[in-house]
């Protein structure tokens, strides 16, 4: 399957512990992406603490038509190197066979934290450009919203 990697790095005036706690909670992703409208069916694997949940992305076409894309998400939160660094990783599976692995690396910085948001997309032929443009827009929005939510509070 065709694939690409997108990386976005940004600073937040909040300590890594706070950024990590926010990104480790699935319900906090609503609003971090303009597409995400719901998170449901959250459950934790007993053996390793991995979270599994269903997310609903809402795509709008021509300002009138909508399509709800139901996606399966896994989230693994690794706080073991806090307060200096933490990582959150996972996988997203879409019914259209779009697969995305993600990684948030959160590093301590003089002003708070530096977050590196890395996405690796794999799509069926013909979908990569659309999926990458949507994912890139989500990364930009996530940085703005996360910074507004956590900075200075």
């Amino acid at each position: 399957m065709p694939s690409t990697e997108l990386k976005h790095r940004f600073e937040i005036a909040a300590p890594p512990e706070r950024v990590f706690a926010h990104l480790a909670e699935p319900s906090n992703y609503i609003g971090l992406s303009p597409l995400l409208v719901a998170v449901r069916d959250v459950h934790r694997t007993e053996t390793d603490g991995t979270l599994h949940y269903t997310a609903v992305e809402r795509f709008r076409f021509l300002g009138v038509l909508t399509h709800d894309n139901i996606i399966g998400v896994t989230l693994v939160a690794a706080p073991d190197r806090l307060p200096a660094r933490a990582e959150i990783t996972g996988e997203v599976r879409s019914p259209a066979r779009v697969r995305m692995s993600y990684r948030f690396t959160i590093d301590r910085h003089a002003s708070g934290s530096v977050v590196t948001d890395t996405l690796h997309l794999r799509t069926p032929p013909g979908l990569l450009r659309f999926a990458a443009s949507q994912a890139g827009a989500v990364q930009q929005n996530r940085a703005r919203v996360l910074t507004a939510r956590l900075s200075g509070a």
Side-chain angles (χ1 to χ4, degrees), residues 23-127:
L23 290 173
E25 172 54 49
S27 63
N28 288 335
Y29 285 81
I30 296 171
L32 288 182
S33 163
L35 301 175
L36 193 66
V37 296
V39 169
R40 61 181 187 231
D41 306 324
V42 178
H43 65 279
R44 184 178 305 276
T45 303
E46 293 292 324
T47 55
D48 64 3
T50 298
L51 291 175
H52 302 272
Y53 61 95
T54 300
V56 179
E57 292 179 319
R58 182 161 294 147
F59 291 92
R60 297 191 189 285
F61 303 97
L62 305 172
V64 188
L65 303 172
T66 61
H67 169 72
D68 284 356
N69 190 37
I70 310 300
I71 56 178
V73 182
T74 61
L75 185 151
V76 179
D80 52 325
R81 292 173 53 196
L82 280 174
R85 175 177 247 225
E87 284 190 355
I88 295 177
T89 61
E91 178 83 19
V92 175
R93 295 182 169 270
S94 172
R97 292 189 18 224
V98 173
R99 302 292 182 257
M100 181 182 74
S101 57
Y102 64 91
R103 169 175 271 119
F104 300 111
T105 304
I106 307 156
D107 290 299
R108 185 165 299 284
H109 184 271
S111 64
S113 300
V114 173
V115 177
T116 305
D117 180 346
T118 305
L119 307 176
H120 184 82
L121 294 167
R122 297 173 309 282
T123 71
L127 284 180

Side-chain angles (χ1 to χ4, degrees), residues 131-145:
S133 70
Q134 294 293 310
V138 166
Q139 278 184 314
Q140 297 295 318
N141 188 78
R142 182 169 33 242
R144 280 189 304 276
V145 173

